[in-house]
Amino acid sequence: MNIALVLLAAGKGTRMNSDLPKVLHQIAGAPMLAHALRTGQVLEPARTVVVAGHEARMVAAATAEIDEDATVVLQEEQLGTAHAVDQARTALEGFDGDVVVLYGDTPFIRDETLERMIAARCSHDLVILGFEAADPKRYGRLMMDGESLERIVEFKDATEEERKVTFCNSGLVACDRATLFALIAAVGNDNAAGEFYLTDIVAIARARGLKVTAVACDESETLGINSRAELAQAEAVFQANARAELLDLGVTLTAPDTVFLSYDTVIGRDAEIEPNVVFGPGVTVESGARIRAFSHLEGCHVSRGAIVGPYARLRPGAELAENVHVGNFVEIKNATLDEGAKANHLTYIGDASVGPRTNIGAGTITCNYDGVFKHRTEIGADVFIGSDTMLVAPVKIGNRAMTATGAVITRDVEADALAIARVKQENKPGRASKLFDMLLARKAREKQ
Ligand code: UD1
Ligand code: MG
């Protein structure tokens, strides 16, 4: 079946208490909007329409980044969920197929649930997604008559009796495009909130003799986000699921609850992740790599057999080839380390390439920034960079070259050369004890 997604994202999200529209708040490094849009992808939608309102320009820009084919329509005033869906009417004019309505702030609907909604559409004109609520709070209540959904009553309009119903509305709808917009056209706003409720299409459909049903999903999928507390809860749910998935895939997580993942983290089988590791967006770790405790990774790739940390930081553009070792208090940014290269202690490597088997001594810094421009450092194969070397970029170090400890390298070093660039040492016999005597005498005078 042809599917068009309509994603509602016009609400202000007052309870977020934020300048940022609610759907742009992040879960696992991606805006809620991206999670919600990804939810619908299992249906291989032919069209996607995002209904924006509050801070629409920001929402439109974010949508374009996530899915450049999505259409963004503006709901100038937030007059209710039916009015919101109606904003997609023109964009979907002539579309032959089903519309699935999703909420931008409900990012955890499972693929299988959407597939069940579409399956139920074969025998019903209109399908609503419901769930059994442990505490139904202010959700709309689904009034069933056997298989048939008769109407939805919003909490504000419900009687005491109706409020006792625990089967609730998630907000998701599946319906043929032409039928849906015909039903929406008949929705009024004569209710407790003075809003055009999308939920009213159920009773209208029933009055027109259409078949309506509700498919049930697990309550955890319909977790909506309205406040920072719920955002934190959603993050926790995401993390718990992502960790469980990795464990299933054969990744070792020594202390899963202390590992934080991004929406797009990829870790291969038999990789080992020690406690307290944070993965920002864009990280791939190959099979058998080991990420040791307290490391922070984003936008980087770690190959098979590499060891990172403890206490390492890999920033965007860090590419570690096989068997590379990056140790404690080492920061790598926009740099490639070829097979078997090592940087084990207290080092910054930025805007650089490091050849295979090269050893970077403790305290080495690529001085890549002159205050205005960034420059590259190119280090060849089998090089030995002595401890505390400053590599003032742009600079190149040839294969099998060495730099002496404490060198400040400002010129290229050719292959096989030893570069010594530091003040020559001078020892002055007896001078130290004279200096001590002088200082101790001064201390004694000052005490008097
Ligand atoms: C809605 C449902 C309720 C359901 C609940 C599930 C209606 C009338 N009620 O209530 O039955 O149990 O969701 O969470 O549909 N939005 C717009 N434009 C608007 C109004 C809302 O884009 O004019 C968007 C919001 O940004 C949000 C979604 O629609 O993503 C739901 O709106 P919200 O105000 O949260 O509806 P609820 O009162 O929670
Ligand atoms: Mg809501």
Side-chain angles (χ1 to χ4, degrees):
M1 195 186 309
N2 250 344
I3 304 280
L5 301 179
V6 172
L7 190 119
L8 304 190
K12 181 160 189 261
T14 312
R15 282 192 282 150
M16 294 301 285
N17 191 13
S18 173
D19 289 338
L20 201 63
K22 174 157 82 177
V23 292
L24 297 193
H25 282 267
Q26 298 203 335
I27 298 169
M32 228 185 272
L33 179 67
H35 291 272
L37 281 170
R38 195 166 63 164
T39 295
Q41 293 317 299
V42 63
L43 301 176
E44 295 175 9
R47 306 265 199 97
T48 298
V49 182
V50 173
V51 181
H54 184 72
E55 297 291 356
R57 265 202 276 165
M58 285 166 88
V59 173
T63 303
E65 267 183 43
I66 300 160
D67 177 358
E68 54 182 8
D69 297 328
T71 310
V72 179
V73 297
L74 181 66
Q75 184 192 25
E76 272 182 52
E77 268 185 289
Q78 281 72 65
L79 302 179
T81 44
H83 180 258
V85 176
D86 205 34
Q87 306 312 302
R89 181 186 291 271
T90 315
L92 294 177
E93 197 74 69
F95 174 77
D96 183 22
D98 259 29
V99 170
V100 174
V101 177
L102 302 171
Y103 284 2
D105 58 358
T106 309
F108 294 130
I109 307 289
R110 291 168 55 206
D111 292 355
E112 178 256 350
T113 298
L114 291 176
E115 283 163 350
R116 280 193 297 120
M117 282 181 80
I118 297 303
R121 264 280 294 128
C122 296
S123 47
H124 296 85
D125 299 293
L126 172 60
V127 177
I128 302 287
L129 181 65
F131 62 98
E132 255 326 307
D135 169 14
K137 289 180 268 195
R138 305 182 64 81
Y139 288 117
R141 307 298 206 265
L142 301 184
M143 300 300 164
M144 302 297 293
D145 181 5
E147 276 274 286
S148 170
L149 175 60
E150 294 300 307
R151 61 199 170 90
I152 305 179
V153 189
E154 284 307 298
F155 177 82
K156 280 187 187 170
D157 303 281
T159 62
E160 279 305 312
E161 248 346 89
E162 288 166 333
R163 286 180 183 178
K164 286 183 187 151
V165 171
T166 53
F167 193 33
C168 291
N169 177 29
S170 71
L172 272 71
V173 172
C175 186
D176 165 70
R177 195 268 317 166
T179 311
L180 177 67
F181 286 110
L183 292 170
I184 285 175
V187 171
N189 65 349
D190 181 17
N191 52 50
E195 283 183 12
F196 295 89
Y197 292 159
L198 183 60
T199 45
D200 281 355
I201 62 172
V202 172
I204 297 167
R206 289 298 295 134
R208 293 182 181 182
L210 298 179
K211 288 184 76 181
V212 186
T213 195
V215 161
C217 72
D218 194 81
E219 184 172 9
S220 61
E221 293 178 56
T222 68
L223 180 71
I225 296 152
N226 298 296
S227 62
R228 306 269 181 170
E230 285 170 1
L231 182 67
Q233 219 183 321
E235 179 76 40
V237 168
F238 182 95
Q239 294 297 338
N241 291 341
R243 290 166 191 145
E245 257 173 53
L246 287 181
L247 293 169
D248 270 353
L249 285 171
V251 176
T252 298
L253 303 177
T254 324
D257 289 350
T258 69
V259 173
F260 291 85
L261 303 155
S262 274
Y263 68 99
D264 61 351
T265 306
V266 176
I267 305 180
R269 194 161 159 262
D270 286 326
E272 188 184 341
I273 315 296
E274 290 187 357
N276 296 298
V277 174
V278 175
F279 293 91
V283 177
T284 47
V285 176
E286 288 183 14
S287 289
R290 182 167 177 210
I291 312 297
R292 305 206 53 202
F294 295 100
S295 294
H296 190 284
L297 294 79
E298 60 185 314
C300 63
H301 177 76
V302 178
S303 302
R304 199 176 279 270
I307 301 176
V308 174
Y311 297 99
R313 179 163 185 213
L314 302 185
R315 291 174 51 203
E319 296 275 340
L320 275 47
E322 292 187 15
N323 304 318
V324 162
H325 291 186
V326 169
N328 42 258
F329 307 105
V330 172
E331 174 179 344
I332 312 250
K333 183 216 76 170
N334 189 29
T336 54
L337 273 69
D338 288 345
E339 191 168 349
K342 292 190 175 70
N344 274 331
H345 334 265
L346 302 159
T347 283
Y348 172 62
I349 299 175
D351 302 308
S353 57
V354 177
R357 299 169 303 278
T358 283
N359 187 87
I360 308 282
T364 295
I365 308 272
T366 54
C367 309
N368 61 327
Y369 185 48
D370 58 18
V372 180
F373 297 105
K374 298 273 172 68
H375 304 280
R376 287 192 67 80
T377 300
E378 290 172 35
I379 305 173
D382 302 296
V383 170
F384 181 88
I385 300 289
S387 293
D388 197 32
T389 296
M390 300 293 117
L391 296 154
V392 183
V395 72
K396 289 183 187 161
I397 313 292
N399 295 340
R400 296 173 309 279
M402 276 190 177
T403 66
T405 293
V408 178
I409 303 295
T410 53
R411 283 187 291 126
D412 290 355
V413 179
E414 68 270 27
D416 302 305
L418 164 67
I420 307 173
R422 61 188 184 207
V423 175
K424 251 212 172 98
Q425 182 169 333
E426 209 183 325
N427 291 356
K428 300 200 185 285
R431 183 72 74 85
S433 59
K434 273 188 198 160
L435 199 54
F436 277 132
D437 291 347
M438 202 178 84
L439 293 171
L440 289 169
R442 193 205 291 177
K443 194 173 181 185
R445 272 201 308 282
E446 283 174 5
K447 259 199 183 149
Q448 282 171 4

